[in-house]
Each structure stands twice: as structure tokens, then as C-alpha cells.
Amino acid sequence: MWKNKLAAILLALAGLMPGVAMADIFLSADFTLTRGEEPNSYEFTAAVPEVVGQPAALAYPQGCQQTAMTRQTSGGRAQYAFEFACDRAFAANDMIQTPWKADGARFVTNVLGAQVDRSLTGNAGGIAVPVGETAAAQRPISSIAPEFLAQGVWHIWLGWDHLAFVLCLALLTRGRALLWLVSAFTAGHSISLALAFFELLHVPVPPVEAAIALSITFMAREALLAGKREESLAFRRQLIVVSLFGLLHGLGFATALGELGVQPGEKLPALVFFNIGVEVGQLLFVGAIIAMLASLRAVSLATSARVAALYAVGAIGCFWMVERVAGFGIA
């Protein structure tokens, strides 16, 4: 029996250890394009996470050639400055294909007389930057919706700290009670996400990230103590606590959404569909955990795996909190 329990503990720890290295691995890049001193010359700058920002060649529009490149690193990001010249003016469909596999990016330019500030989505080949855009034309909902739905889903799935908190909820209770707790978390982070995204609420990012890590440890402890308190009072308390922690996590979501770059006229639909994407990703994750626990119950390993996972999540939350607090001075 002890071998089965040990196997469950090791399995749970192995599944959670990737998150220790990086709590939130949503990789965002920033691109800008400015005019150079000579006609049809430009400077293209790129700031990408250093983990994916290794030197690599760009693919320029036809008739354009790179003339210089510099690279620096700072704060975990690689900063590139590319100078290039073209033998013609940009065409509307001209692109610069970047090689870095970031999840999303923000692109800002005004070289053609109109300010462009828009979000971009990455793919397996990197991110294509539409340098030929003359203006940030208003896009239909059919273009905005899938872009920000996908960004919301990827953010929750690649955000280890957010997933760790949701995991604690899924291991705390089940059935209708779990539905209420997930709804409370959703309500909390939806409110703070909207307030922060529309700049009605300003909170420094580092303390928020440290508090998010603390919330994970708190909920892991709460789940471990489940059943040892008067049930109705404990559930009401949990609803309030989860709602408040949802407010914290919403501030983290707002930071990610803001980094993507959103047109002023697209802010409301971007917020709505990004939030829906977060909820879809969250519910799919909860469903996967429920299915996994059901499978483990069939072989009498659910209790051992649950306890091991909660201890592991609580320890990782402590680690993240110490790591983030220690980074206050550096940031």
C-alpha cells in the first residue's frame, strides 16, 4: 500500500515541478517601427523574453535589406534594434517575419502617418509583423473575438500560478460547491480585470504577483483542512476568500492583456473575449482534474494523490512568494 501512495506522491510532484522554474510562462513581445535618417530607411526594435530571444534572422519584405543589428539583454528580455533600407515604399500587405516563438505581441508604429498600436498572435513560425499597415483600421467582431479568445485560453493554460490556484479549488470540494467557488473566483477576477484594464485601478505589479503566490499556499492549506470545520460556516468563508483572491488574480490577467496592445476602439470586445477565453480554459482544466480524480478513485489512489498534490502546490506557492518578494528590489 505504501508503494502505491509513494507512486502517487511522485506522480503529483512530477506534474507540478515544471511550474517552479517559471510561474507564469505567457511569453509576450514588443515591436516598434520608426523611420531612419535616409529615405525608405527604418529601425525595427524587438523586445522578447530572453528564454526565446536567441539571435536569428528576420525575413524582410521584398526589396528590403538589413544594414545593422544590435542586441542587449536586460531584466530577462532580449532587446534588438535592426536597421534596414528598402528600394520602394511599403505596400499594404508587407510583413516582417520574426523567428521568436512568443505567445503574443504588441506592435506600435506611425511611419506612414497614422498611429498603429495593435496586438499580434504568434504561431509555430514566430510572429508576422504587418509593417505595411497605414492605419489601425476598425476590425469586425469576427476578427477580434477569435484572437482574444485564444489569448485568454493560452494565458490561463500557460499561467502556472493561476492554474495552481484553480487546482486547489478543484481539490477542495466538488459538485455544486465547486461550481460556486469557481463562479466566485470568476466574479472576482472579472471585476478587477476590467477596472485595471480600463485604468480605473492602479496597483504595482510586483506586490500583486507575490500576493497571488501567497493565495495559492493559503488555498492549499484550506483544502488540506477541509472537513475539519463546521461545513456551512467554512463554505461561506471560502466563498468570500476565493472572491477576494479572484480580485488579485484579475490584476495579473489585466497585466497580460495590456501587454498585448489593444486598439482604443477594441478595448471592450477585447476585454470581453479575453475574459471568456480565460473562463473556457479554466473550466477545461477543472474538467480534466475532475476526470483524473475519478480515474484515481477507481484504483484507490485519489486521496493519496490529492494530499500529495496539495502539499506540493502549497510548497511551490511559498517558493514563488519568497522569490517574488526577493525580486522587489531588483525590479
Side-chain angles (χ1 to χ4, degrees), residues 171-207:
L171 297 179
L172 172 61
T173 187
R174 50 180 160 167
R176 185 175 297 180
L178 176 58
L179 180 61
W180 274 105
L181 289 180
V182 171
S183 298
F185 181 62
T186 296
H189 74 62
S190 297
I191 291 170
S192 57
L193 169 58
L195 291 175
F197 182 61
F198 284 107
E199 300 182 348
L200 300 175
L201 179 65
H202 300 273
V203 182
V205 173

PDB file of all heavy atoms in Angstrom, residues 171-207:
ATOM      1  N   LEU A 171      -9.507  20.589  -5.803  1.00  0.00           N
ATOM      2  CA  LEU A 171      -9.175  19.589  -4.787  1.00  0.00           C
ATOM      3  C   LEU A 171      -9.807  19.905  -3.435  1.00  0.00           C
ATOM      4  O   LEU A 171      -9.744  19.085  -2.515  1.00  0.00           O
ATOM      5  CB  LEU A 171      -7.654  19.495  -4.625  1.00  0.00           C
ATOM      6  CG  LEU A 171      -6.883  19.023  -5.866  1.00  0.00           C
ATOM      7  CD1 LEU A 171      -5.387  19.003  -5.578  1.00  0.00           C
ATOM      8  CD2 LEU A 171      -7.359  17.647  -6.324  1.00  0.00           C
ATOM      9  N   LEU A 172     -10.413  21.073  -3.318  1.00  0.00           N
ATOM     10  CA  LEU A 172     -11.051  21.469  -2.064  1.00  0.00           C
ATOM     11  C   LEU A 172     -12.428  20.833  -1.916  1.00  0.00           C
ATOM     12  O   LEU A 172     -12.797  20.357  -0.834  1.00  0.00           O
ATOM     13  CB  LEU A 172     -11.165  22.999  -2.010  1.00  0.00           C
ATOM     14  CG  LEU A 172     -11.980  23.606  -0.868  1.00  0.00           C
ATOM     15  CD1 LEU A 172     -11.366  23.233   0.480  1.00  0.00           C
ATOM     16  CD2 LEU A 172     -12.039  25.127  -1.019  1.00  0.00           C
ATOM     17  N   THR A 173     -13.198  20.828  -2.986  1.00  0.00           N
ATOM     18  CA  THR A 173     -14.563  20.321  -2.923  1.00  0.00           C
ATOM     19  C   THR A 173     -14.974  19.840  -4.303  1.00  0.00           C
ATOM     20  O   THR A 173     -14.172  19.845  -5.238  1.00  0.00           O
ATOM     21  CB  THR A 173     -15.521  21.430  -2.427  1.00  0.00           C
ATOM     22  OG1 THR A 173     -16.823  20.881  -2.214  1.00  0.00           O
ATOM     23  CG2 THR A 173     -15.585  22.584  -3.420  1.00  0.00           C
ATOM     24  N   ARG A 174     -16.222  19.436  -4.452  1.00  0.00           N
ATOM     25  CA  ARG A 174     -16.718  19.005  -5.756  1.00  0.00           C
ATOM     26  C   ARG A 174     -18.209  19.271  -5.860  1.00  0.00           C
ATOM     27  O   ARG A 174     -18.830  19.732  -4.910  1.00  0.00           O
ATOM     28  CB  ARG A 174     -16.406  17.522  -6.000  1.00  0.00           C
ATOM     29  CG  ARG A 174     -16.791  16.591  -4.886  1.00  0.00           C
ATOM     30  CD  ARG A 174     -16.433  15.158  -5.232  1.00  0.00           C
ATOM     31  NE  ARG A 174     -16.337  14.307  -4.054  1.00  0.00           N
ATOM     32  CZ  ARG A 174     -16.287  12.991  -4.101  1.00  0.00           C
ATOM     33  NH1 ARG A 174     -16.318  12.376  -5.271  1.00  0.00           N
ATOM     34  NH2 ARG A 174     -16.188  12.273  -2.997  1.00  0.00           N
ATOM     35  N   GLY A 175     -18.744  18.985  -7.037  1.00  0.00           N
ATOM     36  CA  GLY A 175     -20.174  19.158  -7.244  1.00  0.00           C
ATOM     37  C   GLY A 175     -20.582  20.619  -7.249  1.00  0.00           C
ATOM     38  O   GLY A 175     -19.872  21.496  -7.751  1.00  0.00           O
ATOM     39  N   ARG A 176     -21.751  20.892  -6.661  1.00  0.00           N
ATOM     40  CA  ARG A 176     -22.302  22.246  -6.657  1.00  0.00           C
ATOM     41  C   ARG A 176     -21.402  23.219  -5.903  1.00  0.00           C
ATOM     42  O   ARG A 176     -21.271  24.386  -6.284  1.00  0.00           O
ATOM     43  CB  ARG A 176     -23.701  22.228  -6.045  1.00  0.00           C
ATOM     44  CG  ARG A 176     -24.412  23.564  -6.107  1.00  0.00           C
ATOM     45  CD  ARG A 176     -25.841  23.458  -5.598  1.00  0.00           C
ATOM     46  NE  ARG A 176     -26.632  22.567  -6.437  1.00  0.00           N
ATOM     47  CZ  ARG A 176     -27.919  22.290  -6.211  1.00  0.00           C
ATOM     48  NH1 ARG A 176     -28.521  22.808  -5.146  1.00  0.00           N
ATOM     49  NH2 ARG A 176     -28.566  21.495  -7.022  1.00  0.00           N
ATOM     50  N   ALA A 177     -20.791  22.760  -4.823  1.00  0.00           N
ATOM     51  CA  ALA A 177     -19.913  23.635  -4.055  1.00  0.00           C
ATOM     52  C   ALA A 177     -18.731  24.105  -4.904  1.00  0.00           C
ATOM     53  O   ALA A 177     -18.340  25.284  -4.851  1.00  0.00           O
ATOM     54  CB  ALA A 177     -19.412  22.923  -2.803  1.00  0.00           C
ATOM     55  N   LEU A 178     -18.152  23.206  -5.705  1.00  0.00           N
ATOM     56  CA  LEU A 178     -17.046  23.589  -6.586  1.00  0.00           C
ATOM     57  C   LEU A 178     -17.513  24.602  -7.618  1.00  0.00           C
ATOM     58  O   LEU A 178     -16.799  25.572  -7.918  1.00  0.00           O
ATOM     59  CB  LEU A 178     -16.480  22.347  -7.285  1.00  0.00           C
ATOM     60  CG  LEU A 178     -15.381  22.588  -8.323  1.00  0.00           C
ATOM     61  CD1 LEU A 178     -14.194  23.317  -7.708  1.00  0.00           C
ATOM     62  CD2 LEU A 178     -14.934  21.266  -8.955  1.00  0.00           C
ATOM     63  N   LEU A 179     -18.708  24.404  -8.157  1.00  0.00           N
ATOM     64  CA  LEU A 179     -19.257  25.349  -9.125  1.00  0.00           C
ATOM     65  C   LEU A 179     -19.396  26.739  -8.514  1.00  0.00           C
ATOM     66  O   LEU A 179     -19.062  27.748  -9.148  1.00  0.00           O
ATOM     67  CB  LEU A 179     -20.615  24.854  -9.632  1.00  0.00           C
ATOM     68  CG  LEU A 179     -21.320  25.739 -10.660  1.00  0.00           C
ATOM     69  CD1 LEU A 179     -20.478  25.873 -11.920  1.00  0.00           C
ATOM     70  CD2 LEU A 179     -22.694  25.167 -10.999  1.00  0.00           C
ATOM     71  N   TRP A 180     -19.839  26.810  -7.261  1.00  0.00           N
ATOM     72  CA  TRP A 180     -19.970  28.105  -6.584  1.00  0.00           C
ATOM     73  C   TRP A 180     -18.606  28.760  -6.374  1.00  0.00           C
ATOM     74  O   TRP A 180     -18.451  29.969  -6.571  1.00  0.00           O
ATOM     75  CB  TRP A 180     -20.680  27.919  -5.243  1.00  0.00           C
ATOM     76  CG  TRP A 180     -22.171  27.942  -5.326  1.00  0.00           C
ATOM     77  CD1 TRP A 180     -23.025  26.885  -5.235  1.00  0.00           C
ATOM     78  CD2 TRP A 180     -22.996  29.098  -5.531  1.00  0.00           C
ATOM     79  NE1 TRP A 180     -24.330  27.296  -5.375  1.00  0.00           N
ATOM     80  CE2 TRP A 180     -24.340  28.656  -5.553  1.00  0.00           C
ATOM     81  CE3 TRP A 180     -22.736  30.451  -5.697  1.00  0.00           C
ATOM     82  CZ2 TRP A 180     -25.407  29.529  -5.739  1.00  0.00           C
ATOM     83  CZ3 TRP A 180     -23.801  31.321  -5.880  1.00  0.00           C
ATOM     84  CH2 TRP A 180     -25.122  30.861  -5.895  1.00  0.00           C
ATOM     85  N   LEU A 181     -17.618  27.968  -5.984  1.00  0.00           N
ATOM     86  CA  LEU A 181     -16.292  28.544  -5.747  1.00  0.00           C
ATOM     87  C   LEU A 181     -15.657  29.038  -7.040  1.00  0.00           C
ATOM     88  O   LEU A 181     -15.055  30.123  -7.076  1.00  0.00           O
ATOM     89  CB  LEU A 181     -15.378  27.500  -5.083  1.00  0.00           C
ATOM     90  CG  LEU A 181     -15.681  27.154  -3.625  1.00  0.00           C
ATOM     91  CD1 LEU A 181     -14.697  26.116  -3.115  1.00  0.00           C
ATOM     92  CD2 LEU A 181     -15.660  28.388  -2.742  1.00  0.00           C
ATOM     93  N   VAL A 182     -15.774  28.267  -8.106  1.00  0.00           N
ATOM     94  CA  VAL A 182     -15.228  28.701  -9.395  1.00  0.00           C
ATOM     95  C   VAL A 182     -15.940  29.958  -9.874  1.00  0.00           C
ATOM     96  O   VAL A 182     -15.317  30.879 -10.411  1.00  0.00           O
ATOM     97  CB  VAL A 182     -15.335  27.565 -10.436  1.00  0.00           C
ATOM     98  CG1 VAL A 182     -14.968  28.081 -11.822  1.00  0.00           C
ATOM     99  CG2 VAL A 182     -14.430  26.403 -10.055  1.00  0.00           C
ATOM    100  N   SER A 183     -17.259  30.033  -9.644  1.00  0.00           N
ATOM    101  CA  SER A 183     -18.018  31.228 -10.025  1.00  0.00           C
ATOM    102  C   SER A 183     -17.584  32.443  -9.213  1.00  0.00           C
ATOM    103  O   SER A 183     -17.486  33.559  -9.746  1.00  0.00           O
ATOM    104  CB  SER A 183     -19.521  30.985  -9.825  1.00  0.00           C
ATOM    105  OG  SER A 183     -19.976  29.924 -10.641  1.00  0.00           O
ATOM    106  N   ALA A 184     -17.299  32.232  -7.924  1.00  0.00           N
ATOM    107  CA  ALA A 184     -16.833  33.335  -7.081  1.00  0.00           C
ATOM    108  C   ALA A 184     -15.471  33.834  -7.548  1.00  0.00           C
ATOM    109  O   ALA A 184     -15.213  35.047  -7.600  1.00  0.00           O
ATOM    110  CB  ALA A 184     -16.752  32.877  -5.621  1.00  0.00           C
ATOM    111  N   PHE A 185     -14.590  32.907  -7.898  1.00  0.00           N
ATOM    112  CA  PHE A 185     -13.277  33.283  -8.421  1.00  0.00           C
ATOM    113  C   PHE A 185     -13.430  34.052  -9.732  1.00  0.00           C
ATOM    114  O   PHE A 185     -12.765  35.077  -9.953  1.00  0.00           O
ATOM    115  CB  PHE A 185     -12.440  32.018  -8.638  1.00  0.00           C
ATOM    116  CG  PHE A 185     -11.049  32.274  -9.150  1.00  0.00           C
ATOM    117  CD1 PHE A 185     -10.135  33.004  -8.412  1.00  0.00           C
ATOM    118  CD2 PHE A 185     -10.650  31.767 -10.380  1.00  0.00           C
ATOM    119  CE1 PHE A 185      -8.850  33.237  -8.877  1.00  0.00           C
ATOM    120  CE2 PHE A 185      -9.369  31.988 -10.857  1.00  0.00           C
ATOM    121  CZ  PHE A 185      -8.469  32.720 -10.101  1.00  0.00           C
ATOM    122  N   THR A 186     -14.324  33.592 -10.597  1.00  0.00           N
ATOM    123  CA  THR A 186     -14.579  34.255 -11.874  1.00  0.00           C
ATOM    124  C   THR A 186     -15.097  35.672 -11.663  1.00  0.00           C
ATOM    125  O   THR A 186     -14.640  36.622 -12.308  1.00  0.00           O
ATOM    126  CB  THR A 186     -15.605  33.445 -12.695  1.00  0.00           C
ATOM    127  OG1 THR A 186     -15.049  32.176 -13.014  1.00  0.00           O
ATOM    128  CG2 THR A 186     -15.960  34.167 -13.983  1.00  0.00           C
ATOM    129  N   ALA A 187     -16.067  35.822 -10.755  1.00  0.00           N
ATOM    130  CA  ALA A 187     -16.628  37.150 -10.495  1.00  0.00           C
ATOM    131  C   ALA A 187     -15.551  38.101  -9.985  1.00  0.00           C
ATOM    132  O   ALA A 187     -15.460  39.256 -10.423  1.00  0.00           O
ATOM    133  CB  ALA A 187     -17.764  37.038  -9.475  1.00  0.00           C
ATOM    134  N   GLY A 188     -14.709  37.608  -9.070  1.00  0.00           N
ATOM    135  CA  GLY A 188     -13.662  38.458  -8.518  1.00  0.00           C
ATOM    136  C   GLY A 188     -12.666  38.910  -9.557  1.00  0.00           C
ATOM    137  O   GLY A 188     -12.375  40.105  -9.685  1.00  0.00           O
ATOM    138  N   HIS A 189     -12.143  37.977 -10.349  1.00  0.00           N
ATOM    139  CA  HIS A 189     -11.104  38.396 -11.298  1.00  0.00           C
ATOM    140  C   HIS A 189     -11.690  39.149 -12.493  1.00  0.00           C
ATOM    141  O   HIS A 189     -10.992  39.949 -13.122  1.00  0.00           O
ATOM    142  CB  HIS A 189     -10.208  37.229 -11.715  1.00  0.00           C
ATOM    143  CG  HIS A 189     -10.786  36.226 -12.647  1.00  0.00           C
ATOM    144  ND1 HIS A 189     -11.204  36.516 -13.917  1.00  0.00           N
ATOM    145  CD2 HIS A 189     -10.978  34.894 -12.492  1.00  0.00           C
ATOM    146  CE1 HIS A 189     -11.629  35.417 -14.513  1.00  0.00           C
ATOM    147  NE2 HIS A 189     -11.516  34.424 -13.669  1.00  0.00           N
ATOM    148  N   SER A 190     -12.976  38.951 -12.790  1.00  0.00           N
ATOM    149  CA  SER A 190     -13.601  39.724 -13.873  1.00  0.00           C
ATOM    150  C   SER A 190     -13.703  41.199 -13.501  1.00  0.00           C
ATOM    151  O   SER A 190     -13.460  42.088 -14.326  1.00  0.00           O
ATOM    152  CB  SER A 190     -14.984  39.163 -14.204  1.00  0.00           C
ATOM    153  OG  SER A 190     -14.897  37.839 -14.694  1.00  0.00           O
ATOM    154  N   ILE A 191     -14.052  41.462 -12.230  1.00  0.00           N
ATOM    155  CA  ILE A 191     -14.188  42.848 -11.772  1.00  0.00           C
ATOM    156  C   ILE A 191     -12.844  43.566 -11.795  1.00  0.00           C
ATOM    157  O   ILE A 191     -12.704  44.659 -12.355  1.00  0.00           O
ATOM    158  CB  ILE A 191     -14.790  42.872 -10.348  1.00  0.00           C
ATOM    159  CG1 ILE A 191     -16.251  42.403 -10.385  1.00  0.00           C
ATOM    160  CG2 ILE A 191     -14.695  44.280  -9.747  1.00  0.00           C
ATOM    161  CD1 ILE A 191     -16.846  42.163  -9.014  1.00  0.00           C
ATOM    162  N   SER A 192     -11.824  42.957 -11.197  1.00  0.00           N
ATOM    163  CA  SER A 192     -10.519  43.637 -11.125  1.00  0.00           C
ATOM    164  C   SER A 192      -9.854  43.707 -12.495  1.00  0.00           C
ATOM    165  O   SER A 192      -9.148  44.680 -12.788  1.00  0.00           O
ATOM    166  CB  SER A 192      -9.605  42.925 -10.123  1.00  0.00           C
ATOM    167  OG  SER A 192      -9.432  41.569 -10.469  1.00  0.00           O
ATOM    168  N   LEU A 193     -10.080  42.712 -13.344  1.00  0.00           N
ATOM    169  CA  LEU A 193      -9.542  42.754 -14.698  1.00  0.00           C
ATOM    170  C   LEU A 193     -10.081  43.965 -15.446  1.00  0.00           C
ATOM    171  O   LEU A 193      -9.323  44.708 -16.088  1.00  0.00           O
ATOM    172  CB  LEU A 193      -9.901  41.466 -15.448  1.00  0.00           C
ATOM    173  CG  LEU A 193      -9.645  41.418 -16.963  1.00  0.00           C
ATOM    174  CD1 LEU A 193      -8.177  41.667 -17.271  1.00  0.00           C
ATOM    175  CD2 LEU A 193     -10.086  40.073 -17.535  1.00  0.00           C
ATOM    176  N   ALA A 194     -11.391  44.194 -15.353  1.00  0.00           N
ATOM    177  CA  ALA A 194     -11.999  45.338 -16.046  1.00  0.00           C
ATOM    178  C   ALA A 194     -11.497  46.661 -15.475  1.00  0.00           C
ATOM    179  O   ALA A 194     -11.139  47.580 -16.224  1.00  0.00           O
ATOM    180  CB  ALA A 194     -13.520  45.251 -15.948  1.00  0.00           C
ATOM    181  N   LEU A 195     -11.442  46.768 -14.145  1.00  0.00           N
ATOM    182  CA  LEU A 195     -11.017  48.022 -13.514  1.00  0.00           C
ATOM    183  C   LEU A 195      -9.567  48.356 -13.868  1.00  0.00           C
ATOM    184  O   LEU A 195      -9.240  49.512 -14.181  1.00  0.00           O
ATOM    185  CB  LEU A 195     -11.177  47.927 -11.996  1.00  0.00           C
ATOM    186  CG  LEU A 195     -12.603  47.873 -11.459  1.00  0.00           C
ATOM    187  CD1 LEU A 195     -12.598  47.657  -9.947  1.00  0.00           C
ATOM    188  CD2 LEU A 195     -13.363  49.158 -11.800  1.00  0.00           C
ATOM    189  N   ALA A 196      -8.692  47.357 -13.837  1.00  0.00           N
ATOM    190  CA  ALA A 196      -7.278  47.608 -14.134  1.00  0.00           C
ATOM    191  C   ALA A 196      -7.071  47.854 -15.624  1.00  0.00           C
ATOM    192  O   ALA A 196      -6.276  48.719 -16.007  1.00  0.00           O
ATOM    193  CB  ALA A 196      -6.432  46.434 -13.662  1.00  0.00           C
ATOM    194  N   PHE A 197      -7.777  47.114 -16.467  1.00  0.00           N
ATOM    195  CA  PHE A 197      -7.578  47.252 -17.910  1.00  0.00           C
ATOM    196  C   PHE A 197      -8.021  48.624 -18.403  1.00  0.00           C
ATOM    197  O   PHE A 197      -7.387  49.215 -19.277  1.00  0.00           O
ATOM    198  CB  PHE A 197      -8.342  46.149 -18.639  1.00  0.00           C
ATOM    199  CG  PHE A 197      -8.152  46.170 -20.133  1.00  0.00           C
ATOM    200  CD1 PHE A 197      -6.894  46.017 -20.691  1.00  0.00           C
ATOM    201  CD2 PHE A 197      -9.234  46.363 -20.974  1.00  0.00           C
ATOM    202  CE1 PHE A 197      -6.713  46.040 -22.071  1.00  0.00           C
ATOM    203  CE2 PHE A 197      -9.064  46.386 -22.349  1.00  0.00           C
ATOM    204  CZ  PHE A 197      -7.804  46.224 -22.898  1.00  0.00           C
ATOM    205  N   PHE A 198      -9.106  49.161 -17.824  1.00  0.00           N
ATOM    206  CA  PHE A 198      -9.571  50.489 -18.201  1.00  0.00           C
ATOM    207  C   PHE A 198      -8.912  51.590 -17.370  1.00  0.00           C
ATOM    208  O   PHE A 198      -9.361  52.732 -17.381  1.00  0.00           O
ATOM    209  CB  PHE A 198     -11.091  50.573 -18.096  1.00  0.00           C
ATOM    210  CG  PHE A 198     -11.807  49.887 -19.237  1.00  0.00           C
ATOM    211  CD1 PHE A 198     -12.466  48.689 -19.030  1.00  0.00           C
ATOM    212  CD2 PHE A 198     -11.790  50.427 -20.507  1.00  0.00           C
ATOM    213  CE1 PHE A 198     -13.119  48.039 -20.076  1.00  0.00           C
ATOM    214  CE2 PHE A 198     -12.438  49.796 -21.562  1.00  0.00           C
ATOM    215  CZ  PHE A 198     -13.099  48.597 -21.345  1.00  0.00           C
ATOM    216  N   GLU A 199      -7.863  51.210 -16.628  1.00  0.00           N
ATOM    217  CA  GLU A 199      -7.030  52.145 -15.858  1.00  0.00           C
ATOM    218  C   GLU A 199      -7.828  52.914 -14.807  1.00  0.00           C
ATOM    219  O   GLU A 199      -7.521  54.062 -14.487  1.00  0.00           O
ATOM    220  CB  GLU A 199      -6.309  53.112 -16.807  1.00  0.00           C
ATOM    221  CG  GLU A 199      -5.390  52.398 -17.789  1.00  0.00           C
ATOM    222  CD  GLU A 199      -4.643  53.353 -18.702  1.00  0.00           C
ATOM    223  OE1 GLU A 199      -5.000  54.540 -18.724  1.00  0.00           O
ATOM    224  OE2 GLU A 199      -3.715  52.905 -19.386  1.00  0.00           O
ATOM    225  N   LEU A 200      -8.844  52.259 -14.255  1.00  0.00           N
ATOM    226  CA  LEU A 200      -9.587  52.833 -13.133  1.00  0.00           C
ATOM    227  C   LEU A 200      -8.966  52.416 -11.805  1.00  0.00           C
ATOM    228  O   LEU A 200      -9.302  52.956 -10.763  1.00  0.00           O
ATOM    229  CB  LEU A 200     -11.050  52.377 -13.181  1.00  0.00           C
ATOM    230  CG  LEU A 200     -11.825  52.768 -14.445  1.00  0.00           C
ATOM    231  CD1 LEU A 200     -13.220  52.149 -14.427  1.00  0.00           C
ATOM    232  CD2 LEU A 200     -11.921  54.296 -14.567  1.00  0.00           C
ATOM    233  N   LEU A 201      -8.079  51.440 -11.862  1.00  0.00           N
ATOM    234  CA  LEU A 201      -7.396  50.937 -10.674  1.00  0.00           C
ATOM    235  C   LEU A 201      -5.930  50.745 -11.016  1.00  0.00           C
ATOM    236  O   LEU A 201      -5.598  50.116 -12.023  1.00  0.00           O
ATOM    237  CB  LEU A 201      -8.023  49.597 -10.240  1.00  0.00           C
ATOM    238  CG  LEU A 201      -7.419  48.897  -9.028  1.00  0.00           C
ATOM    239  CD1 LEU A 201      -7.631  49.735  -7.774  1.00  0.00           C
ATOM    240  CD2 LEU A 201      -8.045  47.507  -8.862  1.00  0.00           C
ATOM    241  N   HIS A 202      -5.049  51.323 -10.209  1.00  0.00           N
ATOM    242  CA  HIS A 202      -3.607  51.234 -10.450  1.00  0.00           C
ATOM    243  C   HIS A 202      -2.944  50.584  -9.239  1.00  0.00           C
ATOM    244  O   HIS A 202      -2.976  51.143  -8.135  1.00  0.00           O
ATOM    245  CB  HIS A 202      -3.009  52.622 -10.699  1.00  0.00           C
ATOM    246  CG  HIS A 202      -3.591  53.331 -11.886  1.00  0.00           C
ATOM    247  ND1 HIS A 202      -3.103  53.161 -13.158  1.00  0.00           N
ATOM    248  CD2 HIS A 202      -4.634  54.193 -11.994  1.00  0.00           C
ATOM    249  CE1 HIS A 202      -3.809  53.894 -14.006  1.00  0.00           C
ATOM    250  NE2 HIS A 202      -4.741  54.527 -13.327  1.00  0.00           N
ATOM    251  N   VAL A 203      -2.378  49.418  -9.437  1.00  0.00           N
ATOM    252  CA  VAL A 203      -1.699  48.688  -8.366  1.00  0.00           C
ATOM    253  C   VAL A 203      -0.348  48.216  -8.897  1.00  0.00           C
ATOM    254  O   VAL A 203      -0.276  47.678 -10.015  1.00  0.00           O
ATOM    255  CB  VAL A 203      -2.526  47.469  -7.900  1.00  0.00           C
ATOM    256  CG1 VAL A 203      -1.821  46.747  -6.755  1.00  0.00           C
ATOM    257  CG2 VAL A 203      -3.924  47.902  -7.461  1.00  0.00           C
ATOM    258  N   PRO A 204       0.742  48.405  -8.138  1.00  0.00           N
ATOM    259  CA  PRO A 204       2.056  47.925  -8.593  1.00  0.00           C
ATOM    260  C   PRO A 204       2.044  46.415  -8.836  1.00  0.00           C
ATOM    261  O   PRO A 204       1.457  45.658  -8.054  1.00  0.00           O
ATOM    262  CB  PRO A 204       2.990  48.298  -7.435  1.00  0.00           C
ATOM    263  CG  PRO A 204       2.279  49.384  -6.696  1.00  0.00           C
ATOM    264  CD  PRO A 204       0.820  49.103  -6.847  1.00  0.00           C
ATOM    265  N   VAL A 205       2.687  45.988  -9.901  1.00  0.00           N
ATOM    266  CA  VAL A 205       2.643  44.578 -10.296  1.00  0.00           C
ATOM    267  C   VAL A 205       3.380  43.659  -9.319  1.00  0.00           C
ATOM    268  O   VAL A 205       2.844  42.602  -8.944  1.00  0.00           O
ATOM    269  CB  VAL A 205       3.192  44.405 -11.721  1.00  0.00           C
ATOM    270  CG1 VAL A 205       3.312  42.921 -12.087  1.00  0.00           C
ATOM    271  CG2 VAL A 205       2.291  45.117 -12.721  1.00  0.00           C
ATOM    272  N   PRO A 206       4.622  43.970  -8.866  1.00  0.00           N
ATOM    273  CA  PRO A 206       5.348  43.007  -8.019  1.00  0.00           C
ATOM    274  C   PRO A 206       4.600  42.585  -6.749  1.00  0.00           C
ATOM    275  O   PRO A 206       4.531  41.378  -6.456  1.00  0.00           O
ATOM    276  CB  PRO A 206       6.661  43.745  -7.701  1.00  0.00           C
ATOM    277  CG  PRO A 206       6.861  44.660  -8.874  1.00  0.00           C
ATOM    278  CD  PRO A 206       5.476  45.115  -9.233  1.00  0.00           C
ATOM    279  N   PRO A 207       4.007  43.512  -5.965  1.00  0.00           N
ATOM    280  CA  PRO A 207       3.260  43.052  -4.784  1.00  0.00           C
ATOM    281  C   PRO A 207       2.057  42.185  -5.145  1.00  0.00           C
ATOM    282  O   PRO A 207       1.722  41.245  -4.417  1.00  0.00           O
ATOM    283  CB  PRO A 207       2.813  44.367  -4.127  1.00  0.00           C
ATOM    284  CG  PRO A 207       3.756  45.399  -4.619  1.00  0.00           C
ATOM    285  CD  PRO A 207       4.088  44.990  -6.015  1.00  0.00           C
TER     286      PRO A 207
END
